[in-house]
Amino acid sequence: MTVPLTIALPKGKILSRALSLLEQAGIDTGEVAGDGSRRLIFSSRDGLVRYVLAKDSDVPVYVEQGAADVGIVGQDVIEEMDRDVYEPLQLGLGYWRLVVAGPVNVDHKPMRMWPTVRVATKYPRLARQYFVSQGLAVELIPLHGSIELAPILGLADLIVDVVETGRTLQENGLVEWETIMACQACLIVNRASHKMRLAEITHLIEALSRVIAQQNSDKGPVAGDAGPPILSSFPEEKNGASSINE
Ligand code: PRP
């Protein structure tokens, strides 16, 4: 019996982009998120892949622990979670930045002159690293979402958060002050799976790489032009590292 390759996907805004990339690479995504249901586990129609939908910050945890063989998640999350996984491929899927942002009506003067600086963020590790590198002691206020609320409600002076279009900052009276890092989505791979399921994972990386290269070279439409389903030729795997495979 074929043991499916388990791919962890983030439930956030890059999910639809990741599914599109996988489909373009010839990897069937079945009915993932297509039926409006609350299901969190889906199988490809050919049974070769199992998809699990996780909170983005949990994707590196599932992959490190072998609950998923591979995952797709943003570099911001990978760096924040600091898990022991391979990162073999940058996928694009949009480009965003981790930034320091503050209220539009506050002078952007050197923060070291402020008596205290309270910073709300979903990224306490990266925020701390950044402010330490700047020689600034700040009080971090960890939150889990809608970070832009914190300065509006007086909970924090600044935020460290990701910005893509800039719309959320703008519509909440905030402006970008400093860029901490540029981000895109990456493929991450469990270290044991990389050894045990090398052929499958190599095929997956190669299939995705071909689509990305094609997109980057801007040589025309990619959809439907990625060749036959790559995973269909994968060898049967009986000793995979996925501990939760049926
Ligand atoms: C992220 C981020 C910003 C927003 C930025 O939030 O935390 O709020 O996207 O995107 P923009 O620059 O295109 O407006 P997400 O949608 O992941 O929700 P969350 O705030 O609840 O985590």
Side-chain angles (χ1 to χ4, degrees):
M1 190 185 85
T2 300
V3 177
L5 191 76
T6 299
I7 301 179
L9 299 174
K11 288 195 289 182
K13 62 175 79 174
I14 66 174
L15 175 61
S16 60
R17 304 174 196 173
L19 292 172
S20 174
L21 177 65
L22 288 161
E23 285 286 341
Q24 288 175 59
I27 298 158
D28 179 42
T29 60
E31 297 175 343
V32 180
D35 60 0
S37 79
R38 302 284 293 172
R39 285 170 55 205
L40 299 173
I41 301 180
F42 296 82
S43 292
S44 61
R45 293 176 188 85
D46 54 20
L48 295 174
V49 182
R50 179 174 62 169
Y51 295 96
V52 298
L53 305 187
K55 185 175 169 62
D56 60 353
S57 57
D58 292 339
V59 168
V61 181
Y62 282 105
V63 173
E64 183 196 52
Q65 297 298 314
D69 300 297
V70 304
I72 291 177
V73 70
Q75 289 170 318
D76 48 319
V77 174
I78 295 170
E79 294 297 323
E80 176 66 24
M81 298 308 292
D82 194 28
R83 294 292 175 146
D84 184 20
V85 294
Y86 282 126
E87 297 169 40
L89 187 62
Q90 296 183 344
L91 301 172
L93 304 181
Y95 295 90
W96 56 93
R97 306 175 299 289
L98 184 69
V99 306
V100 180
V104 70
N105 57 354
V106 171
D107 284 343
H108 185 185
K109 63 187 179 184
M111 283 184 282
R112 64 187 74 251
M113 295 172 62
W114 295 14
T116 60
V117 182
R118 298 166 302 155
V119 181
T121 187
K122 285 186 287 192
Y123 302 88
R125 178 174 181 273
L126 294 178
R128 186 175 304 285
Q129 276 181 359
Y130 174 75
F131 288 111
V132 166
S133 77
Q134 300 298 304
L136 292 166
V138 301
E139 177 190 348
L140 292 174
I141 301 172
L143 296 174
H144 297 284
S146 301
I147 309 300
E148 295 83 0
L149 280 174
I152 297 171
L153 299 179
L155 179 65
D157 303 298
L158 306 174
I159 66 171
V160 167
D161 200 10
V162 291
V163 175
E164 185 169 13
T165 64
R167 189 175 163 195
T168 309
L169 285 184
Q170 185 182 22
E171 293 187 3
N172 289 285
L174 300 169
V175 289
E176 189 175 330
W177 283 11
E178 308 284 347
T179 298
I180 298 176
M181 65 181 285
C183 308
Q184 60 179 292
C186 284
L187 190 75
I188 58 174
V189 178
N190 172 267
R191 291 189 180 278
S193 298
H194 190 256
K195 291 189 177 73
M196 304 289 287
R197 310 189 69 153
L198 181 62
E200 292 160 277
I201 289 170
T202 299
H203 280 294
L204 174 65
I205 292 169
E206 289 176 353
L208 293 171
S209 297
R210 280 198 293 275
V211 178
I212 294 163
Q214 193 169 355
Q215 289 173 337
N216 290 343
S217 66
D218 196 27
K219 286 181 179 170
V222 172
D225 193 26
I230 300 301
L231 291 176
S232 64
S233 61
F234 284 1
E236 185 170 307
E237 178 59 63
K238 292 191 170 67
N239 298 310
S242 300
S243 58
I244 58 173
N245 281 335
E246 294 90 359

